[in-house]
Amino acid sequence: QGCTQKYIVKNYFYYYLFKFSAALGEEIFYITFLPFIYWNIDHSVSRRMIIIWSIVMYIGQVSKDILKWPRPLSPPVVKLEMRADAEYGMPSTHAMAATAISFSFLIATMNQYKYPFELGLVAAFVFSSLVCLSRLYTGMHTVLDVIGGALISAVLLMLLYPVWDTIDHLLLTSPFCPLLSIVVPLVLCYNYPKLDYYSPTRGDTTTILGAGAGATVGFWLNNQYAVPAYASKNFQLGFPLITSKIVVVVLARFLVGIFVVLLTRRLMKSVVLGMLGYRYKFPIGDLEARRRPEVEVPYKFITYSSVGFSATVLVPLLHELLGLM
């Protein structure tokens, strides 16, 4: 545990391709891609993707700690990542997330925007396949882990698709939405399956549910108080309509938005950890203390719910103030 094997890279194309593909299932991708959709493509598409992503990831993370299937042994497998090695393997949440994100995007946009369905289907398949294959290449999962993750995600998509318009409507209009969006995820985080040793799955799950909770509250608030919508939500995807002006506005929105999101994350981490350190009498740098449930859950939930709220409420207001609507 914690020691990487020495290895020689013989094919740098595959090495960098699958290292990059593996990153498409990490926090840095979701914290940029999902807000990008919200700021530049369509609010309704982003809402559905975030809700699907939160549900799929929670079920995947909990399933790991219930099934307790080990990851591939090393050796003989050479593991190119070590952070996730403390987690169990089945199902692959990278495979689940990639399948959910790519195909929920396809389903949510195919009737709203003009593009060849076959092209969208191929893009979704390629995206999810690259992420799935990266988990095999990096030695983090078995073939069964990956297939299981993709199949579970596909089944969940089929079950949720008939009701996702209803769920979306309730999240936007129900007066109980803000309360339930905070209380339900917190209950799930505090009642996460217990293990005999520390695993990052509970913290990662809290991060995901926190971001989803903050974004959901933001969606509700925007709908109630008519926070300005983006003018680009009505443009039809297609190369002939991509002008230099659209490219500049999209890039500006993204850079401004991601700066605010990352700044929010950094500030909230410092503030929340400082407050919890004062409350429970531990130095901020104490890693063991930060792993305790009474610290880890509020620390990550408050931090990432603030990130989700910032991305859906504060960033659009700043975009309007800067004339980027």
Side-chain angles (χ1 to χ4, degrees), residues 161-241:
Y161 174 69
V163 297
W164 73 354
D165 287 335
T166 303
I167 294 172
D168 186 57
H169 177 73
L170 290 174
L171 290 178
L172 291 178
T173 60
S174 172
F176 302 106
C177 174
L179 178 63
L180 293 177
S181 296
I182 299 297
V183 172
V184 172
L186 272 176
V187 170
L188 293 176
C189 292
Y190 276 110
N191 290 278
Y192 193 81
K194 292 180 174 60
L195 298 176
D196 295 332
Y197 64 93
Y198 176 78
S199 168
T201 48
R202 182 184 60 210
D204 291 344
T205 304
T206 305
T207 294
I208 293 163
L209 293 183
T216 302
V217 173
F219 298 149
W220 181 87
L221 191 65
N222 289 345
N223 187 65
Q224 298 299 312
Y225 297 98
V227 173
Y230 295 96
S232 68
K233 70 177 182 179
N234 294 319
F235 79 81
Q236 300 296 303
L237 297 178
F239 291 106
L241 294 180

Side-chain angles (χ1 to χ4, degrees), residues 44-202:
S44 64
V45 172
S46 177
R47 289 196 305 270
R48 285 162 172 76
M49 291 178 69
I50 289 173
I51 297 305
I52 293 293
W53 171 68
S54 300
I55 294 172
V56 164
M57 288 298 288
Y58 173 76
I59 291 175
Q61 295 286 80
V62 169
S63 298
K64 281 185 178 184
D65 288 342
I66 292 176
L67 293 174
K68 298 182 179 180
W69 287 19
R71 290 182 182 269
L73 293 177
S74 176
V77 168
V78 176
K79 295 187 177 180
L80 306 186
E81 299 176 15
M82 295 307 299
R83 177 190 175 277
D85 199 36
E87 301 176 10
Y88 289 107
M90 177 68 173
S92 167
T93 46
H94 273 70
M96 292 184 70
T99 303
I101 287 291
S102 56
F103 284 94
S104 63
F105 181 80
L106 172 66
I107 295 169
T109 58
M110 64 183 183
N111 293 324
Q112 296 192 48
Y113 297 99
K114 295 178 181 178
Y115 64 86
F117 173 76
E118 294 78 8
L119 179 62
L121 183 62
V122 169
F125 181 78
V126 169
F127 177 89
S128 56
S129 296
L130 282 175
V131 176
C132 290
L133 291 173
S134 75
R135 308 317 290 157
L136 302 178
Y137 183 87
T138 55
M140 301 311 297
H141 286 285
T142 65
V143 174
L144 186 58
D145 294 343
V146 170
I147 293 175
L151 288 178
I152 292 171
S153 190
V155 170
L156 288 172
L157 270 176
M158 288 189 291
L159 292 175
L160 291 169
Y161 174 69
V163 297
W164 73 354
D165 287 335
T166 303
I167 294 172
D168 186 57
H169 177 73
L170 290 174
L171 290 178
L172 291 178
T173 60
S174 172
F176 302 106
C177 174
L179 178 63
L180 293 177
S181 296
I182 299 297
V183 172
V184 172
L186 272 176
V187 170
L188 293 176
C189 292
Y190 276 110
N191 290 278
Y192 193 81
K194 292 180 174 60
L195 298 176
D196 295 332
Y197 64 93
Y198 176 78
S199 168
T201 48
R202 182 184 60 210

